[in-house]
Amino acid sequence: MKRITGLLLAVLLPGLFLQPALAQDQKTALVPLPSVDDFTRGKDGWGFGLGLGVEYESAYEGSDEFGFEIDPAGAVQWRRGHDIFFWAGEALGWRGLRSDIWLFEAAIGFDEGRKESDSDDGRLDGLGDTDEGIEVVLQARRAFNADWRYWLDGRVVSGENGNLGLFGMGRRFGEKKDGSGSEIGIVAVFHDSERANRDFGINPSQSAASGLNEANLSGGFRSIGINYNYRTYINENWQVFGEALYEHYGSDIQDSPIARNNYEAEVGIGFIYVF
């Protein structure tokens, strides 16, 4: 659940004389959404993308500390018709297009949890590290028509440390079907009590060690967020992507001593080479 660089990236677009040739070389992506990468160029078989992204983001959920982080970007993909199997970082999964307006996805990923050292200011001292764990992500997106101009989105994230439910809607900008352009989405997030207390709860022993008041949260509404994605081709092989995210927490989370801010935010930019 992770965007305000459009003007900067637009400067990197190739000249007008390169556009027709590039458009002929690029094939239709599985769905033309910048947030859903497709490195297969519309062909069956293998697709590879490798790059780096730089993010300026909250140090942890609810943090009032921000910092830069460099992360790998890209994926290994294998496509057959309207199905893509992928390995992207710590996630292994499948996505498939059905009836031109339904996109389904299932993936297994790794949740790194939270460490006391994530706070340079010692805000997490005494709370200990939260558990790492495996997560299963199931997602369905439904477009209003085959050009994916507008869509609805539903996701369930279930793992060893609790569950999340996400429900949103979005709009795509741009006319190309190769996955370039931009999009904006709004999402409401819900969590169960296990996930809520893993991220924002403070039990009696943590309270004694940290000096923070106890906090026991119930499940329900977690946050409302807005995210922006941008992707374009510099040339036949190089992609530039940008993303920005703002997530505003519900009142229960804001009352937790762990939440030093009532929001989480992130902005990033990166490059990917498509083989």
Side-chain angles (χ1 to χ4, degrees):
M1 255 184 64
K2 275 182 160 231
R3 335 201 193 238
I4 313 268
T5 55
L7 293 177
L8 172 63
L9 299 179
V11 177
L12 300 174
L13 287 171
L16 292 177
F17 293 102
L18 295 180
Q19 289 295 329
L22 187 57
Q24 291 176 3
D25 292 339
Q26 293 171 350
K27 305 298 183 181
T28 302
L30 187 66
V31 290
L33 297 179
S35 60
V36 182
D37 50 28
D38 183 350
F39 305 130
T40 64
R41 302 181 185 274
K43 301 177 181 178
D44 285 357
W46 292 99
F48 303 91
L50 182 63
L52 285 175
V54 179
E55 297 177 343
Y56 184 72
E57 60 184 354
S58 304
Y60 57 90
E61 292 183 292
S63 174
D64 59 356
E65 304 168 57
F66 289 81
F68 288 96
E69 182 174 345
I70 298 177
D71 292 313
V76 177
Q77 301 174 339
W78 185 80
R79 180 170 181 169
R80 183 174 181 179
H82 293 311
D83 297 280
I84 290 180
F85 299 87
F86 62 88
W87 173 44
E90 297 175 337
L92 182 68
W94 157 87
R95 63 174 63 106
L97 180 66
R98 299 294 181 268
S99 303
D100 292 329
I101 58 173
W102 282 99
L103 178 67
F104 298 98
E105 182 171 321
I108 299 176
F110 182 72
D111 176 17
E112 296 180 350
R114 185 190 66 215
K115 297 178 175 57
E116 283 191 7
S117 59
D118 288 343
S119 173
D120 292 334
D121 296 339
R123 306 284 198 186
L124 302 174
D125 289 354
L127 296 179
D129 298 343
T130 61
D131 293 335
E132 301 173 339
I134 302 297
E135 293 183 331
V136 175
V137 180
L138 302 176
Q139 179 177 193
R141 292 194 190 190
R142 204 277 191 189
F144 288 89
N145 50 51
D147 69 358
W148 283 82
R149 184 66 58 199
Y150 298 92
W151 75 92
L152 300 175
D153 179 51
R155 277 169 283 170
V156 175
V157 181
S158 181
E160 301 170 83
N161 300 309
N163 305 291
L164 290 170
L166 303 90
F167 305 93
M169 62 182 65
R171 187 191 193 282
R172 179 177 73 93
F173 302 91
E175 301 299 328
K176 293 185 178 181
K177 299 298 181 69
D178 58 5
S180 63
S182 63
E183 67 182 86
I184 191 167
I186 298 175
V187 61
V189 185
F190 301 84
H191 55 193
D192 61 11
S193 59
E194 182 179 1
R195 186 61 177 256
N197 285 292
R198 197 288 296 264
D199 294 338
F200 296 101
I202 301 175
N203 61 37
S205 61
Q206 290 175 319
S207 177
S210 66
L212 300 174
N213 293 331
E214 293 183 35
N216 185 25
L217 284 70
S218 59
F221 177 73
R222 180 184 179 99
S223 62
I224 185 79
I226 183 168
N227 63 282
Y228 172 84
N229 287 271
Y230 185 93
R231 188 181 302 268
T232 193
Y233 286 86
I234 299 177
N235 56 36
E236 184 177 355
N237 296 101
W238 282 101
Q239 288 185 5
V240 178
F241 67 90
E243 53 186 1
L245 167 70
Y246 177 83
E247 181 181 5
H248 191 83
Y249 295 125
S251 58
D252 287 350
I253 294 177
Q254 293 182 33
D255 291 339
S256 168
I258 294 176
R260 304 284 178 164
N261 262 337
N262 59 10
Y263 67 90
E264 180 182 358
E266 173 184 323
V267 61
I269 186 173
F271 299 83
I272 294 177
Y273 184 86
V274 181
F275 294 86

